[in-house]
Amino acid sequence: MQLRDEFFRLAGAFETEYGVFAVWGDQDNTLSKDVSSDMLNSGEAYGIRFLVNESVARPVPGSQRLILSGLDDWHTGSQTIEGLLSGVTDRDCVIAVAHTPDAVPQLLTQPNGEAVDIILSGHTLGGKIRLFGHELFNPLTDVQRYSAGWHREGNAILLVSEGLNTNWPSLRLGTQPQVHVLKLIRSNESQAGN
């Protein structure tokens, strides 16, 4: 429990204009009700809001909005995401966060799915054990399509992080733990696109 609280403390300390958000992962959804409630309370105590199949909109200068959509874990949570992107326009910057990239095809086929600009996910641990460039473990449905790193999915850019892996055993071979800090920079209005 102390490691989790320390993580939330550090994540909640990020200085952001729009807030700090999180999504549930497969291990989070399999926790007992008491433990998951405790985790939710711990995150919220540090100013972290969990998004479960919901979107939040934040205004940005001009007529654009930053839309952050968080999906419940695709394997252990609810796959009910109808209406998640309702009201999104092509002028919005839409960032979707899903613990596993297995949710990506369904997300992009939702109404307004083509408006998603960036998808952030993890779950793969980069294969966790990789020998001679080949993954020995990958929990995804479509292993080839969603290896770690940057990918293009339709109109969206997808980042699959190798993550931290705090589960026992915390063994890795041929992969490295990753934490990403991304900075959004508004493009010049005179250029095509947002």
Side-chain angles (χ1 to χ4, degrees):
M1 298 287 189
Q2 291 178 344
L3 182 61
R4 178 204 63 207
D5 290 344
E6 179 66 7
F7 176 80
F8 285 150
R9 185 186 69 76
L10 292 171
F14 273 96
E15 293 184 25
T16 69
E17 190 174 338
Y18 300 110
V20 179
F21 299 89
V23 295
W24 292 105
D26 57 330
Q27 300 295 319
D28 303 325
N29 280 325
T30 59
L31 296 172
S32 74
K33 186 175 181 181
D34 291 339
V35 173
S36 65
S37 176
D38 186 45
M39 188 166 94
L40 179 66
N41 292 336
S42 180
E44 289 178 346
Y46 291 105
I48 299 169
R49 178 175 170 192
F50 287 87
L51 296 178
V52 182
N53 298 329
E54 62 182 308
S55 296
V56 294
R58 299 291 191 253
V60 293
S63 59
Q64 289 182 305
R65 296 179 302 165
L66 175 64
I67 309 287
L68 183 64
S69 297
L71 283 71
D72 198 357
D73 182 66
W74 206 245
H75 298 290
T76 61
S78 167
Q79 295 183 4
T80 307
I81 60 172
E82 291 80 16
L84 181 70
L85 302 172
S86 63
V88 169
T89 71
D90 60 356
R91 291 203 39 82
D92 296 325
C93 176
V94 182
I95 301 172
V97 183
H99 176 71
T100 175
D102 278 335
V104 170
Q106 185 70 21
L107 172 68
L108 295 180
T109 58
Q110 292 297 305
N112 295 329
E114 72 282 350
V116 175
D117 297 296
I118 302 168
I119 305 167
L120 305 175
S121 67
H123 186 65
T124 67
L125 305 176
K128 194 167 182 174
I129 299 174
R130 188 180 294 166
L131 293 174
F132 308 109
H134 298 286
E135 296 176 353
L136 299 184
F137 165 80
N138 192 315
L140 300 178
T141 304
D142 193 339
V143 174
Q144 297 303 316
R145 186 172 178 181
Y146 300 124
S147 60
W150 294 95
H151 305 274
R152 170 69 67 179
E153 282 290 325
N155 296 331
I157 297 170
L158 167 66
L159 171 60
V160 181
S161 175
E162 294 186 28
L164 294 175
N165 184 34
T166 58
N167 291 338
W168 186 90
S170 181
L171 170 74
R172 283 181 184 255
L173 182 62
T175 70
Q176 294 294 315
Q178 293 181 320
V179 172
H180 302 272
V181 177
L182 306 175
K183 183 176 181 179
L184 299 178
I185 300 173
R186 186 183 187 131
S187 68
N188 187 334
E189 290 292 332
S190 65
Q191 296 176 358
N194 293 337

